[in-house]
Amino acid sequence: MSFSVPKMHKAAFLRKYGERLSIESVQTPQPTGKSVLIKTVGSGICHTDVCIWKGDWVNIGIPPRIPFILSHEISGIIVARGENVPAEWKEGQKVLIYAFYWESEDNYTIRGLTNLAERPKHLGIMENGGLQEYVHIPHYKLLINADGLEDLAAASTLCCAGITTYRAVRTAMNYLVPGDYVAVVGLGGLGAYAVQWVKSLIPYVNLIGIDVREEALEFASKMVMIDAVINASRGNPEKIISETTKGKGVKVIVDTVGSNQTVKTYINTLMRGGVYIIVGLMGINLHIPIYPFVTGERRLIGSFIGTLAQQHEVVELARKGLINYKKVVTKRYRLENVNEAIKELEEKRVLGRQIITYE
Ligand SMILES: [Zn+2]
């Protein structure tokens, strides 16, 4: 199969922090060597995109330059490939992209910890990403075969929200025994996946869902059966959790918010030997009491995206129906309307995940 690739295509450029992305024509690159060109089918809008768009991370060098193209949740179809791309990656192949590219191997990546690479080149974060009609993928190792995923556009959300929560829940599994309580804090795009992973991978625990938005609690409850939902804006969440767990406390907390406020509040609900896993990046510094941590042997764990191997696992589980990525996607926009999607997310009006579609 061969595809006619246009010389120019449309892309959404971040030109000024906090201002509307501008839709412009850009030259379509020709892949060479180990790189491929994909025609974009879906690109998800993550909260990280909002942070980068606002310029929150400029002081840590993200994005490295403007103009810049956002989105690290990308799905598409291979339309052209470099001369050193193996034959299995044919034109027409449906793929998801592991956006967390690393430029060269190091002591982490050779052990499979691609998420901890010393020289990351994450697409949509450090390199131009998915908010464009065609995306140049620098290496075929980032491709995941998406055969069997019937909604390829929605499946793009497996590439950040899906994998990030998968890694956290896999870590959580090491600490859990039947009857334990697991709490997911924050039921947005990540939370909608996290509650599903808990139910499908560790069905023998009790699941607590926590958010400050009633509609987010309702939305997550439609995903799976949540044993207890807690609206943290009503009443004292620590007290409610204590009652819910019959004084036992929570064994594992998966915090998709990661603010000083959430950590400070929910860390007090951990039982002895309990584990607090932070995946969200909303806060800057943490202030937590040392004494209960040491004497109760509690653990605080950071969990960052997931490895390339885990991205393959996530896609396999989606293919087998253990995770419903379609239900997570609540709104689809055309690239021309991307600014609406960003505004919705910035104003915290989004349930689940929003995506941009191209067909
Ligand atoms: Zn993300």
Side-chain angles (χ1 to χ4, degrees):
M1 206 185 297
S2 90
F3 287 79
S4 69
V5 176
K7 283 205 171 62
M8 306 290 284
H9 68 266
K10 274 189 232 150
F13 282 99
L14 168 60
R15 288 199 170 270
K16 211 162 182 200
Y17 299 115
E19 292 196 3
R20 293 172 66 83
L21 303 183
S22 99
I23 312 292
E24 298 171 22
S25 270
V26 62
Q27 205 155 21
T28 311
Q30 182 73 35
T32 57
K34 293 172 177 170
S35 74
V36 301
L37 182 73
I38 65 156
K39 185 177 191 311
T40 319
V41 170
S43 39
I45 309 286
C46 174
H47 194 269
T48 291
D49 295 315
V50 174
C51 293
I52 300 173
W53 168 73
K54 285 201 291 193
D56 287 355
W57 295 348
V58 173
N59 57 351
I60 53 165
I62 295 173
R65 78 201 88 81
I66 45 176
F68 188 75
I69 302 172
L70 293 162
S71 182
H72 49 276
E73 289 187 331
I74 311 164
S75 63
I77 295 164
I78 300 177
V79 289
R81 54 206 203 96
E83 61 285 4
N84 298 327
V85 175
E88 65 181 287
W89 299 111
K90 292 183 184 59
E91 281 89 353
Q93 175 65 52
K94 292 199 281 179
V95 289
L96 293 183
I97 307 302
Y98 179 71
F100 309 101
Y101 180 46
W102 65 102
E103 198 169 32
S104 52
E105 303 300 339
D106 57 48
N107 275 326
Y108 299 100
T109 64
I110 60 169
R111 287 168 175 80
L113 294 167
T114 56
N115 58 327
L116 303 183
E118 287 174 354
R119 283 171 292 275
K121 287 261 183 175
H122 300 173
L123 310 183
I125 296 169
M126 294 145 190
E127 296 293 313
N128 280 334
L131 286 182
Q132 49 180 335
E133 293 171 318
Y134 290 84
V135 189
H136 180 250
I137 308 299
H139 198 294
Y140 63 82
K141 68 186 175 185
L142 305 173
L143 305 173
I144 318 286
N145 183 317
D147 285 348
L149 300 182
E150 57 185 47
D151 188 341
L152 187 60
S156 61
T157 61
L158 293 166
C159 300
C160 172
I163 188 178
T164 300
T165 48
Y166 176 70
R167 181 170 180 77
V169 171
R170 286 298 299 257
T171 299
M173 286 168 75
N174 298 326
Y175 301 96
L176 291 161
V177 296
D180 277 343
Y181 288 88
V182 175
V184 174
V185 176
L187 299 173
L190 266 67
Y193 270 114
V195 293
Q196 290 195 64
W197 290 127
V198 169
K199 278 289 167 178
S200 62
L201 301 177
I202 30 178
Y204 49 81
V205 297
N206 302 301
L207 173 60
I208 301 173
I210 303 168
D211 205 289
V212 290
R213 299 179 302 163
E214 195 59 38
E215 61 277 20
L217 293 164
E218 279 169 25
F219 177 70
S221 301
K222 281 186 211 147
M223 296 279 150
V224 292
M225 223 286 283
I226 300 178
D227 300 292
V229 287
I230 295 173
N231 185 331
S233 68
R234 293 185 196 152
N236 175 346
E238 286 175 51
K239 196 163 160 264
I240 302 169
I241 290 171
S242 174
E243 285 161 13
T244 305
T245 63
K246 301 172 191 74
K248 191 177 161 189
V250 176
K251 185 63 168 291
V252 176
I253 291 167
V254 175
D255 186 347
T256 73
V257 180
S259 68
N260 192 37
Q261 183 62 40
T262 56
V263 180
K264 218 167 59 183
T265 304
Y266 298 107
I267 214 151
N268 297 323
T269 69
L270 280 180
M271 64 190 284
R272 290 185 187 83
V275 180
Y276 200 105
I277 304 175
I278 309 183
V279 296
L281 287 168
M282 298 282 266
I284 306 288
N285 295 307
L286 278 183
H287 300 282
I288 55 168
I290 304 292
Y291 191 82
F293 241 80
V294 176
T295 60
E297 291 199 340
R298 293 173 175 90
R299 292 175 173 88
L300 182 62
I301 298 179
S303 183
F304 188 47
I305 331 163
T307 65
L308 175 60
Q310 287 178 322
Q311 185 72 77
H312 282 274
E313 291 166 27
V314 162
V315 174
E316 189 56 25
L317 290 165
R319 203 177 270 134
K320 291 196 156 57
L322 272 96
I323 191 88
N324 190 331
Y325 58 89
K326 285 182 266 182
K327 270 181 158 177
V328 174
V329 174
T330 51
K331 263 191 187 170
R332 296 171 194 239
Y333 297 83
R334 306 295 301 173
L335 186 63
E336 293 73 20
N337 304 114
V338 63
N339 290 296
E340 262 175 64
I342 289 177
K343 197 150 185 52
E344 287 284 298
L345 189 55
E346 192 206 3
E347 292 173 1
K348 299 185 167 50
R349 287 201 297 260
V350 177
L351 293 174
R353 203 55 139 194
Q354 308 178 111
I355 59 168
I356 307 299
T357 61
Y358 298 82
E359 314 224 277

